[in-house]
Amino acid sequence: MAFEYLAAYATFETVDDMDAAVEQHIQQHYYSLTESERAIVFALASRSLAYPGASHLKAETIAEATGTSRSTVMRAIKKLTELNIIEKVKQTKMNGIKGASIYKLLPYDDTSTLIQRETACEVNNDNDCKPSTENQSFSSFSLLKTSSLQEIYNNAHDEKKAAKEYMNEWQTMLYDFLHSLPLADQLKDELHKIVLASQIDNASAFHQAKDVIVNIARDIANGTLTVTGTLRAIFVGAYG
């Protein structure tokens, strides 16, 4: 695969394993997470399907996907890291594109939460230290889920499956690659249309198309690719 660098950061064997861990994390910390923070967890998971648990995203991309601000995303990432829900890989760059980080969704470990609670009880000498209301059953938790958050997650699976229905294997690989890039979702959708219209049916065509997409992403990140500059280039080329 063209973005196999993420394989080294995958934290789950399958998407189902990742789904289960996400649900357990949300269950355990439901009351300590805001709606925006829960939405960000689902957004990270929905973009970690190719290599379960690993994604490479800009804070701005996460903000756009969840309808929040960049500052909200940064605060949420810090909190989710402290809760051992995710891990942010430091100083990660890919093909010269700056400003994106690799995020790892972590497997659920209920022992760490139990140890923290027992330690707090010992420090307070509280013999009546009661189990936290966060530690509720899955059946009761399912009633508390915000449908809009669940839709974000479920729709991401369905949309990607539907999008790949009419693609050959090379187009599918290119589709997965462009969705791993730190680009705005709207731009990815437009690039997806180009992928479908292109005649990419062998390794050589795939690598050529991949390089073109990488160059586009790099130019956008560096601010050298603008609407005005693009229109000028198209006009000059067509007029010539």
Side-chain angles (χ1 to χ4, degrees):
M1 295 286 284
F3 53 110
E4 65 273 4
Y5 66 94
L6 278 178
Y9 302 98
T11 48
F12 301 94
E13 291 292 330
T14 67
V15 172
D16 287 341
D17 292 340
M18 180 182 69
D19 290 349
V22 167
E23 186 167 356
Q24 288 171 313
H25 279 306
I26 296 296
Q27 175 200 5
Q28 181 63 51
H29 300 288
Y30 189 88
Y31 293 109
S32 60
L33 294 174
T34 66
E35 182 173 339
S36 294
E37 289 162 350
R38 293 193 293 272
I40 287 169
V41 174
F42 281 108
L44 289 174
S46 69
R47 286 158 174 76
S48 303
L49 304 179
Y51 290 99
S55 59
H56 194 187
L57 299 165
K58 283 186 175 181
E60 291 83 357
T61 302
I62 301 172
E64 182 180 351
T66 55
T68 58
S69 65
R70 185 182 187 280
S71 58
T72 296
V73 170
M74 298 308 294
R75 286 194 300 270
I77 293 300
K78 182 176 184 296
K79 183 175 178 180
L80 295 172
T81 301
E82 292 171 349
L83 291 174
N84 292 321
I85 297 175
I86 68 169
E87 177 184 339
K88 180 180 178 181
V89 181
K90 296 181 179 179
Q91 298 179 339
T92 51
K93 298 180 181 179
M94 192 274 295
N95 291 326
I97 300 175
K98 301 178 181 179
S101 297
I102 290 178
Y103 296 99
K104 296 164 59 179
L105 284 160
L106 300 177
Y108 176 73
D109 181 8
D110 57 355
T111 59
S112 61
T113 304
L114 181 60
I115 291 171
Q116 290 172 5
R117 188 178 301 127
E118 290 176 345
T119 301
C121 291
E122 291 173 1
V123 170
N124 296 324
N125 291 319
D126 188 356
N127 294 327
D128 296 323
C129 191
K130 298 178 181 180
S132 169
T133 53
E134 297 172 4
N135 214 12
Q136 58 191 290
S137 67
F138 273 98
S139 58
S140 62
F141 168 68
S142 64
L143 299 176
L144 293 171
K145 290 181 185 175
T146 304
S147 61
S148 60
L149 300 184
Q150 197 64 32
E151 287 173 6
I152 292 173
Y153 197 28
N154 293 340
N155 288 346
H157 288 271
D158 296 338
E159 288 173 4
K160 285 202 170 186
K161 183 177 180 180
K164 295 178 181 180
E165 184 176 356
Y166 300 104
M167 296 184 192
N168 61 38
E169 61 175 322
W170 298 106
Q171 290 174 321
T172 299
M173 288 172 63
L174 192 62
Y175 174 85
D176 285 335
F177 173 72
L178 71 89
H179 275 271
S180 74
L181 295 174
L183 297 172
D185 286 346
Q186 184 177 359
L187 179 57
K188 291 179 181 179
D189 290 340
E190 294 305 317
L191 287 172
H192 168 222
K193 296 174 185 176
I194 296 173
V195 168
L196 284 177
S198 60
Q199 298 298 319
I200 301 171
D201 54 7
N202 57 66
S204 177
F206 165 76
H207 287 293
Q208 183 177 353
K210 176 182 71 68
D211 291 342
V212 170
I213 292 175
V214 167
N215 287 333
I216 290 173
R218 183 187 296 119
D219 288 345
I220 290 173
N222 293 336
T224 56
L225 181 59
T226 63
V227 173
T228 302
T230 302
L231 289 175
R232 184 183 298 111
I234 292 172
F235 175 80
V236 171
Y239 186 78

PDB file of all heavy atoms in Angstrom, residues 18-54:
ATOM      1  N   MET A  18     -11.175  -2.346  17.090  1.00  0.00           N
ATOM      2  CA  MET A  18     -11.102  -0.915  17.363  1.00  0.00           C
ATOM      3  C   MET A  18     -12.459  -0.383  17.803  1.00  0.00           C
ATOM      4  O   MET A  18     -12.548   0.401  18.767  1.00  0.00           O
ATOM      5  CB  MET A  18     -10.624  -0.165  16.116  1.00  0.00           C
ATOM      6  CG  MET A  18     -10.526   1.351  16.301  1.00  0.00           C
ATOM      7  SD  MET A  18     -10.022   2.209  14.790  1.00  0.00           S
ATOM      8  CE  MET A  18     -11.483   1.975  13.759  1.00  0.00           C
ATOM      9  N   ASP A  19     -13.517  -0.802  17.124  1.00  0.00           N
ATOM     10  CA  ASP A  19     -14.864  -0.359  17.477  1.00  0.00           C
ATOM     11  C   ASP A  19     -15.189  -0.697  18.935  1.00  0.00           C
ATOM     12  O   ASP A  19     -15.750   0.123  19.671  1.00  0.00           O
ATOM     13  CB  ASP A  19     -15.898  -1.021  16.572  1.00  0.00           C
ATOM     14  CG  ASP A  19     -15.844  -0.501  15.145  1.00  0.00           C
ATOM     15  OD1 ASP A  19     -15.153   0.499  14.910  1.00  0.00           O
ATOM     16  OD2 ASP A  19     -16.491  -1.096  14.269  1.00  0.00           O
ATOM     17  N   ALA A  20     -14.836  -1.917  19.330  1.00  0.00           N
ATOM     18  CA  ALA A  20     -15.129  -2.354  20.696  1.00  0.00           C
ATOM     19  C   ALA A  20     -14.374  -1.515  21.716  1.00  0.00           C
ATOM     20  O   ALA A  20     -14.923  -1.130  22.757  1.00  0.00           O
ATOM     21  CB  ALA A  20     -14.776  -3.834  20.855  1.00  0.00           C
ATOM     22  N   ALA A  21     -13.118  -1.214  21.422  1.00  0.00           N
ATOM     23  CA  ALA A  21     -12.303  -0.414  22.345  1.00  0.00           C
ATOM     24  C   ALA A  21     -12.844   1.000  22.458  1.00  0.00           C
ATOM     25  O   ALA A  21     -12.900   1.576  23.554  1.00  0.00           O
ATOM     26  CB  ALA A  21     -10.856  -0.396  21.876  1.00  0.00           C
ATOM     27  N   VAL A  22     -13.257   1.573  21.318  1.00  0.00           N
ATOM     28  CA  VAL A  22     -13.818   2.925  21.333  1.00  0.00           C
ATOM     29  C   VAL A  22     -15.072   2.960  22.203  1.00  0.00           C
ATOM     30  O   VAL A  22     -15.250   3.867  23.030  1.00  0.00           O
ATOM     31  CB  VAL A  22     -14.148   3.393  19.896  1.00  0.00           C
ATOM     32  CG1 VAL A  22     -15.026   4.646  19.929  1.00  0.00           C
ATOM     33  CG2 VAL A  22     -12.859   3.668  19.131  1.00  0.00           C
ATOM     34  N   GLU A  23     -15.921   1.958  22.048  1.00  0.00           N
ATOM     35  CA  GLU A  23     -17.155   1.922  22.835  1.00  0.00           C
ATOM     36  C   GLU A  23     -16.845   1.795  24.321  1.00  0.00           C
ATOM     37  O   GLU A  23     -17.493   2.434  25.166  1.00  0.00           O
ATOM     38  CB  GLU A  23     -18.045   0.768  22.370  1.00  0.00           C
ATOM     39  CG  GLU A  23     -19.402   0.758  23.053  1.00  0.00           C
ATOM     40  CD  GLU A  23     -20.391  -0.175  22.383  1.00  0.00           C
ATOM     41  OE1 GLU A  23     -20.027  -0.756  21.344  1.00  0.00           O
ATOM     42  OE2 GLU A  23     -21.502  -0.314  22.895  1.00  0.00           O
ATOM     43  N   GLN A  24     -15.851   0.976  24.661  1.00  0.00           N
ATOM     44  CA  GLN A  24     -15.477   0.810  26.066  1.00  0.00           C
ATOM     45  C   GLN A  24     -14.900   2.098  26.648  1.00  0.00           C
ATOM     46  O   GLN A  24     -15.197   2.464  27.792  1.00  0.00           O
ATOM     47  CB  GLN A  24     -14.474  -0.338  26.190  1.00  0.00           C
ATOM     48  CG  GLN A  24     -15.101  -1.704  25.978  1.00  0.00           C
ATOM     49  CD  GLN A  24     -14.061  -2.803  25.896  1.00  0.00           C
ATOM     50  OE1 GLN A  24     -13.053  -2.685  25.193  1.00  0.00           O
ATOM     51  NE2 GLN A  24     -14.291  -3.889  26.618  1.00  0.00           N
ATOM     52  N   HIS A  25     -14.057   2.780  25.864  1.00  0.00           N
ATOM     53  CA  HIS A  25     -13.495   4.052  26.323  1.00  0.00           C
ATOM     54  C   HIS A  25     -14.605   5.071  26.584  1.00  0.00           C
ATOM     55  O   HIS A  25     -14.600   5.760  27.615  1.00  0.00           O
ATOM     56  CB  HIS A  25     -12.537   4.616  25.275  1.00  0.00           C
ATOM     57  CG  HIS A  25     -11.169   4.009  25.296  1.00  0.00           C
ATOM     58  ND1 HIS A  25     -10.392   3.967  26.433  1.00  0.00           N
ATOM     59  CD2 HIS A  25     -10.429   3.431  24.299  1.00  0.00           C
ATOM     60  CE1 HIS A  25      -9.231   3.387  26.152  1.00  0.00           C
ATOM     61  NE2 HIS A  25      -9.239   3.052  24.867  1.00  0.00           N
ATOM     62  N   ILE A  26     -15.537   5.178  25.637  1.00  0.00           N
ATOM     63  CA  ILE A  26     -16.610   6.151  25.778  1.00  0.00           C
ATOM     64  C   ILE A  26     -17.492   5.793  26.974  1.00  0.00           C
ATOM     65  O   ILE A  26     -17.922   6.664  27.737  1.00  0.00           O
ATOM     66  CB  ILE A  26     -17.459   6.212  24.492  1.00  0.00           C
ATOM     67  CG1 ILE A  26     -16.609   6.719  23.310  1.00  0.00           C
ATOM     68  CG2 ILE A  26     -18.670   7.120  24.688  1.00  0.00           C
ATOM     69  CD1 ILE A  26     -16.103   8.135  23.467  1.00  0.00           C
ATOM     70  N   GLN A  27     -17.758   4.506  27.153  1.00  0.00           N
ATOM     71  CA  GLN A  27     -18.558   4.061  28.294  1.00  0.00           C
ATOM     72  C   GLN A  27     -17.885   4.456  29.605  1.00  0.00           C
ATOM     73  O   GLN A  27     -18.520   5.014  30.503  1.00  0.00           O
ATOM     74  CB  GLN A  27     -18.739   2.553  28.255  1.00  0.00           C
ATOM     75  CG  GLN A  27     -19.462   2.003  29.500  1.00  0.00           C
ATOM     76  CD  GLN A  27     -19.213   0.520  29.704  1.00  0.00           C
ATOM     77  OE1 GLN A  27     -18.429  -0.091  28.977  1.00  0.00           O
ATOM     78  NE2 GLN A  27     -19.852  -0.062  30.686  1.00  0.00           N
ATOM     79  N   GLN A  28     -16.601   4.158  29.713  1.00  0.00           N
ATOM     80  CA  GLN A  28     -15.885   4.386  30.958  1.00  0.00           C
ATOM     81  C   GLN A  28     -15.811   5.870  31.327  1.00  0.00           C
ATOM     82  O   GLN A  28     -15.906   6.240  32.490  1.00  0.00           O
ATOM     83  CB  GLN A  28     -14.457   3.823  30.843  1.00  0.00           C
ATOM     84  CG  GLN A  28     -13.618   3.982  32.097  1.00  0.00           C
ATOM     85  CD  GLN A  28     -14.207   3.212  33.269  1.00  0.00           C
ATOM     86  OE1 GLN A  28     -14.504   2.024  33.150  1.00  0.00           O
ATOM     87  NE2 GLN A  28     -14.395   3.883  34.395  1.00  0.00           N
ATOM     88  N   HIS A  29     -15.658   6.715  30.309  1.00  0.00           N
ATOM     89  CA  HIS A  29     -15.424   8.137  30.566  1.00  0.00           C
ATOM     90  C   HIS A  29     -16.582   9.016  30.105  1.00  0.00           C
ATOM     91  O   HIS A  29     -16.396  10.216  29.892  1.00  0.00           O
ATOM     92  CB  HIS A  29     -14.136   8.581  29.867  1.00  0.00           C
ATOM     93  CG  HIS A  29     -12.915   7.829  30.324  1.00  0.00           C
ATOM     94  ND1 HIS A  29     -12.343   8.022  31.563  1.00  0.00           N
ATOM     95  CD2 HIS A  29     -12.167   6.884  29.698  1.00  0.00           C
ATOM     96  CE1 HIS A  29     -11.297   7.223  31.685  1.00  0.00           C
ATOM     97  NE2 HIS A  29     -11.167   6.528  30.575  1.00  0.00           N
ATOM     98  N   TYR A  30     -17.766   8.414  29.961  1.00  0.00           N
ATOM     99  CA  TYR A  30     -18.878   9.148  29.364  1.00  0.00           C
ATOM    100  C   TYR A  30     -19.139  10.471  30.068  1.00  0.00           C
ATOM    101  O   TYR A  30     -19.304  11.511  29.442  1.00  0.00           O
ATOM    102  CB  TYR A  30     -20.153   8.293  29.383  1.00  0.00           C
ATOM    103  CG  TYR A  30     -21.284   8.901  28.584  1.00  0.00           C
ATOM    104  CD1 TYR A  30     -21.403   8.628  27.226  1.00  0.00           C
ATOM    105  CD2 TYR A  30     -22.197   9.770  29.179  1.00  0.00           C
ATOM    106  CE1 TYR A  30     -22.421   9.189  26.480  1.00  0.00           C
ATOM    107  CE2 TYR A  30     -23.217  10.338  28.436  1.00  0.00           C
ATOM    108  CZ  TYR A  30     -23.323  10.050  27.091  1.00  0.00           C
ATOM    109  OH  TYR A  30     -24.318  10.622  26.349  1.00  0.00           O
ATOM    110  N   TYR A  31     -19.174  10.449  31.399  1.00  0.00           N
ATOM    111  CA  TYR A  31     -19.543  11.646  32.144  1.00  0.00           C
ATOM    112  C   TYR A  31     -18.397  12.659  32.252  1.00  0.00           C
ATOM    113  O   TYR A  31     -18.625  13.821  32.579  1.00  0.00           O
ATOM    114  CB  TYR A  31     -20.038  11.273  33.539  1.00  0.00           C
ATOM    115  CG  TYR A  31     -21.340  10.519  33.505  1.00  0.00           C
ATOM    116  CD1 TYR A  31     -21.388   9.158  33.814  1.00  0.00           C
ATOM    117  CD2 TYR A  31     -22.523  11.140  33.142  1.00  0.00           C
ATOM    118  CE1 TYR A  31     -22.579   8.461  33.772  1.00  0.00           C
ATOM    119  CE2 TYR A  31     -23.727  10.454  33.087  1.00  0.00           C
ATOM    120  CZ  TYR A  31     -23.745   9.114  33.411  1.00  0.00           C
ATOM    121  OH  TYR A  31     -24.925   8.419  33.357  1.00  0.00           O
ATOM    122  N   SER A  32     -17.184  12.235  32.009  1.00  0.00           N
ATOM    123  CA  SER A  32     -16.055  13.160  32.100  1.00  0.00           C
ATOM    124  C   SER A  32     -15.676  13.747  30.744  1.00  0.00           C
ATOM    125  O   SER A  32     -14.798  14.613  30.665  1.00  0.00           O
ATOM    126  CB  SER A  32     -14.836  12.458  32.712  1.00  0.00           C
ATOM    127  OG  SER A  32     -14.443  11.350  31.921  1.00  0.00           O
ATOM    128  N   LEU A  33     -16.329  13.282  29.677  1.00  0.00           N
ATOM    129  CA  LEU A  33     -16.072  13.806  28.340  1.00  0.00           C
ATOM    130  C   LEU A  33     -17.228  14.687  27.888  1.00  0.00           C
ATOM    131  O   LEU A  33     -18.389  14.367  28.136  1.00  0.00           O
ATOM    132  CB  LEU A  33     -15.888  12.660  27.334  1.00  0.00           C
ATOM    133  CG  LEU A  33     -14.676  11.757  27.506  1.00  0.00           C
ATOM    134  CD1 LEU A  33     -14.744  10.606  26.509  1.00  0.00           C
ATOM    135  CD2 LEU A  33     -13.381  12.536  27.331  1.00  0.00           C
ATOM    136  N   THR A  34     -16.897  15.777  27.217  1.00  0.00           N
ATOM    137  CA  THR A  34     -17.939  16.615  26.642  1.00  0.00           C
ATOM    138  C   THR A  34     -18.421  15.994  25.337  1.00  0.00           C
ATOM    139  O   THR A  34     -17.799  15.068  24.798  1.00  0.00           O
ATOM    140  CB  THR A  34     -17.409  18.026  26.357  1.00  0.00           C
ATOM    141  OG1 THR A  34     -16.404  17.937  25.322  1.00  0.00           O
ATOM    142  CG2 THR A  34     -16.798  18.658  27.597  1.00  0.00           C
ATOM    143  N   GLU A  35     -19.506  16.507  24.799  1.00  0.00           N
ATOM    144  CA  GLU A  35     -20.023  15.994  23.525  1.00  0.00           C
ATOM    145  C   GLU A  35     -18.996  16.187  22.422  1.00  0.00           C
ATOM    146  O   GLU A  35     -18.811  15.318  21.564  1.00  0.00           O
ATOM    147  CB  GLU A  35     -21.324  16.694  23.166  1.00  0.00           C
ATOM    148  CG  GLU A  35     -21.953  16.166  21.874  1.00  0.00           C
ATOM    149  CD  GLU A  35     -23.334  16.735  21.614  1.00  0.00           C
ATOM    150  OE1 GLU A  35     -23.974  17.201  22.578  1.00  0.00           O
ATOM    151  OE2 GLU A  35     -23.759  16.712  20.452  1.00  0.00           O
ATOM    152  N   SER A  36     -18.303  17.326  22.431  1.00  0.00           N
ATOM    153  CA  SER A  36     -17.278  17.587  21.415  1.00  0.00           C
ATOM    154  C   SER A  36     -16.137  16.600  21.528  1.00  0.00           C
ATOM    155  O   SER A  36     -15.614  16.110  20.506  1.00  0.00           O
ATOM    156  CB  SER A  36     -16.743  19.013  21.571  1.00  0.00           C
ATOM    157  OG  SER A  36     -17.741  19.963  21.278  1.00  0.00           O
ATOM    158  N   GLU A  37     -15.737  16.291  22.746  1.00  0.00           N
ATOM    159  CA  GLU A  37     -14.631  15.349  22.942  1.00  0.00           C
ATOM    160  C   GLU A  37     -15.016  13.950  22.492  1.00  0.00           C
ATOM    161  O   GLU A  37     -14.202  13.240  21.887  1.00  0.00           O
ATOM    162  CB  GLU A  37     -14.211  15.364  24.416  1.00  0.00           C
ATOM    163  CG  GLU A  37     -13.502  16.644  24.811  1.00  0.00           C
ATOM    164  CD  GLU A  37     -13.466  16.881  26.308  1.00  0.00           C
ATOM    165  OE1 GLU A  37     -14.152  16.146  27.063  1.00  0.00           O
ATOM    166  OE2 GLU A  37     -12.749  17.805  26.736  1.00  0.00           O
ATOM    167  N   ARG A  38     -16.256  13.567  22.758  1.00  0.00           N
ATOM    168  CA  ARG A  38     -16.708  12.252  22.277  1.00  0.00           C
ATOM    169  C   ARG A  38     -16.767  12.239  20.753  1.00  0.00           C
ATOM    170  O   ARG A  38     -16.407  11.245  20.113  1.00  0.00           O
ATOM    171  CB  ARG A  38     -18.080  11.918  22.879  1.00  0.00           C
ATOM    172  CG  ARG A  38     -18.056  11.695  24.385  1.00  0.00           C
ATOM    173  CD  ARG A  38     -19.358  11.059  24.881  1.00  0.00           C
ATOM    174  NE  ARG A  38     -20.504  11.938  24.760  1.00  0.00           N
ATOM    175  CZ  ARG A  38     -20.899  12.812  25.681  1.00  0.00           C
ATOM    176  NH1 ARG A  38     -20.218  12.931  26.807  1.00  0.00           N
ATOM    177  NH2 ARG A  38     -21.971  13.559  25.495  1.00  0.00           N
ATOM    178  N   ALA A  39     -17.211  13.350  20.162  1.00  0.00           N
ATOM    179  CA  ALA A  39     -17.269  13.435  18.699  1.00  0.00           C
ATOM    180  C   ALA A  39     -15.880  13.307  18.093  1.00  0.00           C
ATOM    181  O   ALA A  39     -15.699  12.693  17.033  1.00  0.00           O
ATOM    182  CB  ALA A  39     -17.904  14.763  18.290  1.00  0.00           C
ATOM    183  N   ILE A  40     -14.883  13.866  18.759  1.00  0.00           N
ATOM    184  CA  ILE A  40     -13.509  13.805  18.253  1.00  0.00           C
ATOM    185  C   ILE A  40     -12.977  12.375  18.303  1.00  0.00           C
ATOM    186  O   ILE A  40     -12.263  11.927  17.391  1.00  0.00           O
ATOM    187  CB  ILE A  40     -12.614  14.778  19.044  1.00  0.00           C
ATOM    188  CG1 ILE A  40     -12.948  16.216  18.635  1.00  0.00           C
ATOM    189  CG2 ILE A  40     -11.124  14.491  18.818  1.00  0.00           C
ATOM    190  CD1 ILE A  40     -12.343  17.280  19.517  1.00  0.00           C
ATOM    191  N   VAL A  41     -13.334  11.626  19.345  1.00  0.00           N
ATOM    192  CA  VAL A  41     -12.931  10.217  19.410  1.00  0.00           C
ATOM    193  C   VAL A  41     -13.526   9.451  18.231  1.00  0.00           C
ATOM    194  O   VAL A  41     -12.833   8.693  17.542  1.00  0.00           O
ATOM    195  CB  VAL A  41     -13.392   9.571  20.736  1.00  0.00           C
ATOM    196  CG1 VAL A  41     -13.092   8.065  20.725  1.00  0.00           C
ATOM    197  CG2 VAL A  41     -12.698  10.227  21.920  1.00  0.00           C
ATOM    198  N   PHE A  42     -14.818   9.664  17.966  1.00  0.00           N
ATOM    199  CA  PHE A  42     -15.471   8.987  16.841  1.00  0.00           C
ATOM    200  C   PHE A  42     -14.852   9.422  15.513  1.00  0.00           C
ATOM    201  O   PHE A  42     -14.704   8.599  14.597  1.00  0.00           O
ATOM    202  CB  PHE A  42     -16.967   9.287  16.840  1.00  0.00           C
ATOM    203  CG  PHE A  42     -17.753   8.470  17.832  1.00  0.00           C
ATOM    204  CD1 PHE A  42     -18.274   9.048  18.973  1.00  0.00           C
ATOM    205  CD2 PHE A  42     -17.960   7.119  17.621  1.00  0.00           C
ATOM    206  CE1 PHE A  42     -18.996   8.295  19.886  1.00  0.00           C
ATOM    207  CE2 PHE A  42     -18.685   6.355  18.531  1.00  0.00           C
ATOM    208  CZ  PHE A  42     -19.200   6.948  19.668  1.00  0.00           C
ATOM    209  N   ALA A  43     -14.503  10.705  15.392  1.00  0.00           N
ATOM    210  CA  ALA A  43     -13.908  11.199  14.153  1.00  0.00           C
ATOM    211  C   ALA A  43     -12.554  10.552  13.899  1.00  0.00           C
ATOM    212  O   ALA A  43     -12.228  10.175  12.766  1.00  0.00           O
ATOM    213  CB  ALA A  43     -13.765  12.717  14.204  1.00  0.00           C
ATOM    214  N   LEU A  44     -11.745  10.419  14.939  1.00  0.00           N
ATOM    215  CA  LEU A  44     -10.448   9.758  14.795  1.00  0.00           C
ATOM    216  C   LEU A  44     -10.637   8.301  14.389  1.00  0.00           C
ATOM    217  O   LEU A  44      -9.926   7.793  13.515  1.00  0.00           O
ATOM    218  CB  LEU A  44      -9.659   9.843  16.112  1.00  0.00           C
ATOM    219  CG  LEU A  44      -9.116  11.213  16.504  1.00  0.00           C
ATOM    220  CD1 LEU A  44      -8.500  11.154  17.900  1.00  0.00           C
ATOM    221  CD2 LEU A  44      -8.078  11.702  15.497  1.00  0.00           C
ATOM    222  N   ALA A  45     -11.610   7.634  15.009  1.00  0.00           N
ATOM    223  CA  ALA A  45     -11.852   6.228  14.685  1.00  0.00           C
ATOM    224  C   ALA A  45     -12.324   6.061  13.249  1.00  0.00           C
ATOM    225  O   ALA A  45     -11.900   5.137  12.543  1.00  0.00           O
ATOM    226  CB  ALA A  45     -12.874   5.642  15.662  1.00  0.00           C
ATOM    227  N   SER A  46     -13.180   6.975  12.798  1.00  0.00           N
ATOM    228  CA  SER A  46     -13.725   6.855  11.442  1.00  0.00           C
ATOM    229  C   SER A  46     -12.662   7.078  10.378  1.00  0.00           C
ATOM    230  O   SER A  46     -12.844   6.704   9.225  1.00  0.00           O
ATOM    231  CB  SER A  46     -14.868   7.856  11.246  1.00  0.00           C
ATOM    232  OG  SER A  46     -14.390   9.188  11.234  1.00  0.00           O
ATOM    233  N   ARG A  47     -11.539   7.676  10.771  1.00  0.00           N
ATOM    234  CA  ARG A  47     -10.433   7.895   9.842  1.00  0.00           C
ATOM    235  C   ARG A  47      -9.262   6.956  10.118  1.00  0.00           C
ATOM    236  O   ARG A  47      -8.146   7.193   9.685  1.00  0.00           O
ATOM    237  CB  ARG A  47      -9.989   9.362   9.912  1.00  0.00           C
ATOM    238  CG  ARG A  47     -10.991  10.287   9.236  1.00  0.00           C
ATOM    239  CD  ARG A  47     -10.875  11.714   9.721  1.00  0.00           C
ATOM    240  NE  ARG A  47     -11.734  12.597   8.958  1.00  0.00           N
ATOM    241  CZ  ARG A  47     -13.059  12.684   9.104  1.00  0.00           C
ATOM    242  NH1 ARG A  47     -13.667  11.925  10.005  1.00  0.00           N
ATOM    243  NH2 ARG A  47     -13.780  13.511   8.371  1.00  0.00           N
ATOM    244  N   SER A  48      -9.540   5.889  10.850  1.00  0.00           N
ATOM    245  CA  SER A  48      -8.498   4.912  11.197  1.00  0.00           C
ATOM    246  C   SER A  48      -8.885   3.523  10.722  1.00  0.00           C
ATOM    247  O   SER A  48      -8.628   2.527  11.411  1.00  0.00           O
ATOM    248  CB  SER A  48      -8.279   4.910  12.720  1.00  0.00           C
ATOM    249  OG  SER A  48      -7.940   6.175  13.208  1.00  0.00           O
ATOM    250  N   LEU A  49      -9.519   3.445   9.551  1.00  0.00           N
ATOM    251  CA  LEU A  49     -10.055   2.179   9.078  1.00  0.00           C
ATOM    252  C   LEU A  49      -9.042   1.371   8.270  1.00  0.00           C
ATOM    253  O   LEU A  49      -9.062   0.143   8.295  1.00  0.00           O
ATOM    254  CB  LEU A  49     -11.312   2.415   8.234  1.00  0.00           C
ATOM    255  CG  LEU A  49     -12.437   3.209   8.922  1.00  0.00           C
ATOM    256  CD1 LEU A  49     -13.609   3.382   7.964  1.00  0.00           C
ATOM    257  CD2 LEU A  49     -12.877   2.530  10.192  1.00  0.00           C
ATOM    258  N   ALA A  50      -8.173   2.053   7.541  1.00  0.00           N
ATOM    259  CA  ALA A  50      -7.218   1.335   6.691  1.00  0.00           C
ATOM    260  C   ALA A  50      -6.232   0.537   7.538  1.00  0.00           C
ATOM    261  O   ALA A  50      -5.957  -0.636   7.264  1.00  0.00           O
ATOM    262  CB  ALA A  50      -6.478   2.320   5.794  1.00  0.00           C
ATOM    263  N   TYR A  51      -5.680   1.189   8.553  1.00  0.00           N
ATOM    264  CA  TYR A  51      -4.807   0.542   9.525  1.00  0.00           C
ATOM    265  C   TYR A  51      -5.446   0.802  10.886  1.00  0.00           C
ATOM    266  O   TYR A  51      -5.233   1.874  11.474  1.00  0.00           O
ATOM    267  CB  TYR A  51      -3.385   1.079   9.456  1.00  0.00           C
ATOM    268  CG  TYR A  51      -2.674   0.669   8.191  1.00  0.00           C
ATOM    269  CD1 TYR A  51      -2.582   1.538   7.109  1.00  0.00           C
ATOM    270  CD2 TYR A  51      -2.133  -0.604   8.070  1.00  0.00           C
ATOM    271  CE1 TYR A  51      -1.953   1.150   5.932  1.00  0.00           C
ATOM    272  CE2 TYR A  51      -1.504  -0.995   6.898  1.00  0.00           C
ATOM    273  CZ  TYR A  51      -1.415  -0.121   5.841  1.00  0.00           C
ATOM    274  OH  TYR A  51      -0.795  -0.515   4.680  1.00  0.00           O
ATOM    275  N   PRO A  52      -6.255  -0.135  11.384  1.00  0.00           N
ATOM    276  CA  PRO A  52      -7.111   0.121  12.547  1.00  0.00           C
ATOM    277  C   PRO A  52      -6.387   0.755  13.729  1.00  0.00           C
ATOM    278  O   PRO A  52      -5.411   0.210  14.241  1.00  0.00           O
ATOM    279  CB  PRO A  52      -7.636  -1.274  12.900  1.00  0.00           C
ATOM    280  CG  PRO A  52      -7.657  -1.992  11.591  1.00  0.00           C
ATOM    281  CD  PRO A  52      -6.424  -1.510  10.869  1.00  0.00           C
ATOM    282  N   GLY A  53      -6.885   1.921  14.103  1.00  0.00           N
ATOM    283  CA  GLY A  53      -6.342   2.627  15.255  1.00  0.00           C
ATOM    284  C   GLY A  53      -5.389   3.742  14.911  1.00  0.00           C
ATOM    285  O   GLY A  53      -5.050   4.558  15.774  1.00  0.00           O
ATOM    286  N   ALA A  54      -4.944   3.840  13.659  1.00  0.00           N
ATOM    287  CA  ALA A  54      -3.942   4.833  13.278  1.00  0.00           C
ATOM    288  C   ALA A  54      -4.488   5.789  12.227  1.00  0.00           C
ATOM    289  O   ALA A  54      -5.086   5.374  11.236  1.00  0.00           O
ATOM    290  CB  ALA A  54      -2.684   4.145  12.738  1.00  0.00           C
TER     291      ALA A  54
END
